[in-house]
Amino acid sequence: MLAIGTPAPEFTLPDQNGTQHSLAAYRGQKVVLYFYPRDNTSGCTKQACSFAERLPQFREKGAVVIGVSKDSVASHKKFEQKYGLPFPLLSDTELSVIKAYDVWKEKTLYGKKSMGVVRSTYLIDENGIIVRAEGNVKAAENPQQMLEMI
Protein backbone atom coordinates (compact mmCIF):
# COMPACT_ATOMS: atom_id res chain seq x y z
CA MET A 1 0.00 0.00 0.00
CA LEU A 2 1.07 3.55 -0.59
CA ALA A 3 1.99 5.66 2.43
CA ILE A 4 -0.51 7.93 4.15
CA GLY A 5 0.41 11.58 3.68
CA THR A 6 1.84 11.11 0.19
CA PRO A 7 0.34 12.47 -3.04
CA ALA A 8 -1.99 10.01 -4.75
CA PRO A 9 -0.68 8.95 -8.17
CA GLU A 10 -2.39 10.84 -10.98
CA PHE A 11 -4.34 8.82 -13.54
CA THR A 12 -6.70 9.05 -16.49
CA LEU A 13 -8.86 6.00 -17.26
CA PRO A 14 -12.15 5.32 -19.09
CA ASP A 15 -15.31 4.46 -17.18
CA GLN A 16 -18.13 2.09 -18.12
CA ASN A 17 -19.38 4.64 -20.69
CA GLY A 18 -15.96 5.33 -22.21
CA THR A 19 -15.74 8.73 -20.47
CA GLN A 20 -12.23 9.59 -19.29
CA HIS A 21 -11.73 10.32 -15.57
CA SER A 22 -8.63 11.97 -14.12
CA LEU A 23 -7.84 12.24 -10.44
CA ALA A 24 -7.05 15.94 -10.96
CA ALA A 25 -10.68 16.54 -12.01
CA TYR A 26 -11.77 15.62 -8.47
CA ARG A 27 -9.62 18.21 -6.65
CA GLY A 28 -11.72 19.91 -4.00
CA GLN A 29 -13.58 16.67 -3.21
CA LYS A 30 -12.70 13.64 -1.14
CA VAL A 31 -12.21 10.54 -3.29
CA VAL A 32 -12.90 6.98 -2.17
CA LEU A 33 -10.87 5.01 -4.72
CA TYR A 34 -11.48 1.31 -4.39
CA PHE A 35 -9.75 -1.47 -6.30
CA TYR A 36 -11.52 -4.77 -6.78
CA PRO A 37 -10.58 -8.03 -8.55
CA ARG A 38 -13.42 -8.65 -11.00
CA ASP A 39 -16.88 -7.59 -12.15
CA ASN A 40 -19.85 -9.85 -11.36
CA THR A 41 -18.16 -11.96 -8.68
CA SER A 42 -19.92 -12.33 -5.34
CA GLY A 43 -17.52 -10.26 -3.22
CA CYS A 44 -17.13 -7.53 -5.80
CA THR A 45 -20.90 -7.34 -6.27
CA LYS A 46 -21.49 -7.05 -2.50
CA GLN A 47 -18.90 -4.29 -2.25
CA ALA A 48 -20.20 -2.32 -5.26
CA CYS A 49 -23.84 -2.58 -4.16
CA SER A 50 -22.93 -1.52 -0.64
CA PHE A 51 -21.10 1.55 -1.97
CA ALA A 52 -24.14 2.29 -4.17
CA GLU A 53 -26.52 2.09 -1.17
CA ARG A 54 -24.39 4.53 0.79
CA LEU A 55 -23.60 6.90 -2.06
CA PRO A 56 -25.98 9.66 -0.80
CA GLN A 57 -24.14 9.61 2.55
CA PHE A 58 -20.75 9.82 0.83
CA ARG A 59 -22.01 12.77 -1.21
CA GLU A 60 -23.27 14.51 1.96
CA LYS A 61 -19.70 14.31 3.26
CA GLY A 62 -18.29 15.79 0.03
CA ALA A 63 -16.92 12.50 -1.27
CA VAL A 64 -17.09 10.67 -4.57
CA VAL A 65 -16.76 6.90 -4.98
CA ILE A 66 -14.75 5.42 -7.86
CA GLY A 67 -14.18 1.71 -8.51
CA VAL A 68 -11.19 0.37 -10.48
CA SER A 69 -10.50 -3.09 -11.87
CA LYS A 70 -8.70 -4.60 -14.84
CA ASP A 71 -12.00 -5.49 -16.51
CA SER A 72 -12.92 -3.96 -19.87
CA VAL A 73 -15.22 -0.98 -20.41
CA ALA A 74 -17.84 -3.41 -21.83
CA SER A 75 -17.63 -5.64 -18.74
CA HIS A 76 -18.03 -2.60 -16.48
CA LYS A 77 -21.08 -1.48 -18.48
CA LYS A 78 -22.79 -4.86 -17.98
CA PHE A 79 -21.91 -4.78 -14.25
CA GLU A 80 -23.29 -1.24 -13.91
CA GLN A 81 -26.52 -2.09 -15.73
CA LYS A 82 -27.11 -5.36 -13.89
CA TYR A 83 -26.86 -3.74 -10.44
CA GLY A 84 -27.75 -0.08 -11.16
CA LEU A 85 -24.36 1.19 -9.98
CA PRO A 86 -24.42 5.01 -9.84
CA PHE A 87 -20.68 5.78 -9.80
CA PRO A 88 -17.73 5.44 -12.20
CA LEU A 89 -16.13 2.04 -12.70
CA LEU A 90 -12.74 2.64 -14.29
CA SER A 91 -11.15 0.16 -16.66
CA ASP A 92 -7.41 -0.39 -16.16
CA THR A 93 -6.69 -3.19 -18.64
CA GLU A 94 -3.01 -2.16 -18.83
CA LEU A 95 -2.70 -2.36 -15.00
CA SER A 96 -0.94 1.02 -14.92
CA VAL A 97 -3.04 2.53 -12.12
CA ILE A 98 -3.44 -0.78 -10.30
CA LYS A 99 0.35 -1.09 -10.13
CA ALA A 100 0.86 2.62 -9.31
CA TYR A 101 -1.39 2.17 -6.27
CA ASP A 102 0.48 -1.01 -5.27
CA VAL A 103 -2.52 -3.35 -5.30
CA TRP A 104 -1.22 -5.89 -7.90
CA LYS A 105 0.14 -8.71 -5.75
CA GLU A 106 0.82 -12.41 -5.68
CA LYS A 107 -2.22 -14.25 -4.36
CA THR A 108 -2.74 -17.88 -3.38
CA LEU A 109 -6.01 -19.68 -4.08
CA TYR A 110 -6.34 -23.38 -3.33
CA GLY A 111 -2.56 -23.64 -3.11
CA LYS A 112 -2.02 -22.09 -6.54
CA LYS A 113 -0.12 -18.80 -6.79
CA SER A 114 -1.07 -16.12 -9.30
CA MET A 115 -0.94 -12.35 -9.68
CA GLY A 116 -4.09 -10.33 -9.12
CA VAL A 117 -5.73 -7.27 -7.62
CA VAL A 118 -5.86 -7.28 -3.83
CA ARG A 119 -9.14 -5.68 -2.71
CA SER A 120 -7.98 -2.29 -1.39
CA THR A 121 -9.40 1.16 -0.76
CA TYR A 122 -7.78 4.59 -0.58
CA LEU A 123 -9.27 7.77 0.82
CA ILE A 124 -7.78 10.77 -0.96
CA ASP A 125 -8.37 14.27 0.40
CA GLU A 126 -9.41 17.42 -1.46
CA ASN A 127 -5.77 18.21 -2.27
CA GLY A 128 -4.93 14.78 -3.72
CA ILE A 129 -3.16 13.45 -0.62
CA ILE A 130 -3.71 9.88 0.62
CA VAL A 131 -5.27 10.07 4.10
CA ARG A 132 -6.29 6.39 4.48
CA ALA A 133 -5.02 3.22 2.85
CA GLU A 134 -6.80 -0.05 3.56
CA GLY A 135 -5.57 -3.34 2.07
CA ASN A 136 -7.16 -6.80 2.06
CA VAL A 137 -10.51 -5.28 2.97
CA LYS A 138 -13.67 -7.31 3.54
CA ALA A 139 -16.00 -6.62 0.62
CA ALA A 140 -19.25 -6.32 2.56
CA GLU A 141 -17.83 -4.20 5.40
CA ASN A 142 -15.52 -1.86 3.48
CA PRO A 143 -18.08 0.74 2.30
CA GLN A 144 -19.42 1.37 5.83
CA GLN A 145 -15.89 1.52 7.24
CA MET A 146 -14.88 4.11 4.64
CA LEU A 147 -17.99 6.16 5.34
CA GLU A 148 -17.09 6.23 9.04
CA MET A 149 -13.50 7.28 8.25
CA ILE A 150 -14.54 10.40 6.34
Side-chain angles (χ1 to χ4, degrees), residues 27-42:
R27 287 291 188 273
Q29 299 176 72
K30 295 175 189 85
V31 177
V32 175
L33 186 67
Y34 83 96
F35 293 87
Y36 65 98
R38 197 158 171 218
D39 291 339
N40 287 303
T41 56
S42 66

Side-chain angles (χ1 to χ4, degrees), residues 1-148:
M1 298 294 300
L2 300 178
I4 292 170
T6 60
E10 184 52 55
F11 61 80
T12 302
L13 290 173
D15 70 7
Q16 65 269 34
N17 299 308
T19 304
Q20 296 291 321
H21 291 260
S22 295
L23 182 59
Y26 292 97
R27 287 291 188 273
Q29 299 176 72
K30 295 175 189 85
V31 177
V32 175
L33 186 67
Y34 83 96
F35 293 87
Y36 65 98
R38 197 158 171 218
D39 291 339
N40 287 303
T41 56
S42 66
C44 297
T45 299
K46 283 178 195 164
Q47 187 178 25
C49 290
S50 188
F51 270 122
E53 279 176 29
R54 291 167 177 78
L55 192 60
Q57 294 164 279
F58 280 104
R59 288 183 176 150
E60 282 175 19
K61 294 183 174 205
V64 295
V65 173
I66 302 171
V68 181
S69 82
K70 65 183 183 71
D71 293 304
S72 68
V73 169
S75 175
H76 282 343
K77 188 64 180 174
K78 288 177 189 166
F79 191 40
E80 173 211 32
Q81 289 175 329
K82 186 173 182 178
Y83 296 102
L85 303 175
F87 51 83
L89 299 172
L90 305 185
S91 174
D92 187 15
T93 57
E94 302 294 316
L95 306 177
S96 59
V97 177
I98 288 167
K99 288 180 178 177
Y101 279 83
D102 196 28
V103 296
W104 185 251
K105 304 278 186 186
E106 185 177 88
K107 298 162 71 170
T108 305
L109 183 62
Y110 304 117
K112 184 178 177 185
K113 293 183 184 295
S114 64
M115 294 300 288
V117 173
V118 173
R119 190 181 312 281
S120 307
T121 306
Y122 286 93
L123 177 58
I124 302 166
D125 75 8
E126 297 86 346
N127 299 310
I129 304 298
I130 296 169
V131 293
R132 292 301 300 226
E134 303 290 326
N136 286 318
V137 299
K138 291 187 171 38
E141 298 167 14
N142 179 237
Q144 183 61 38
Q145 288 171 336
M146 294 308 294
L147 191 57
E148 291 167 6

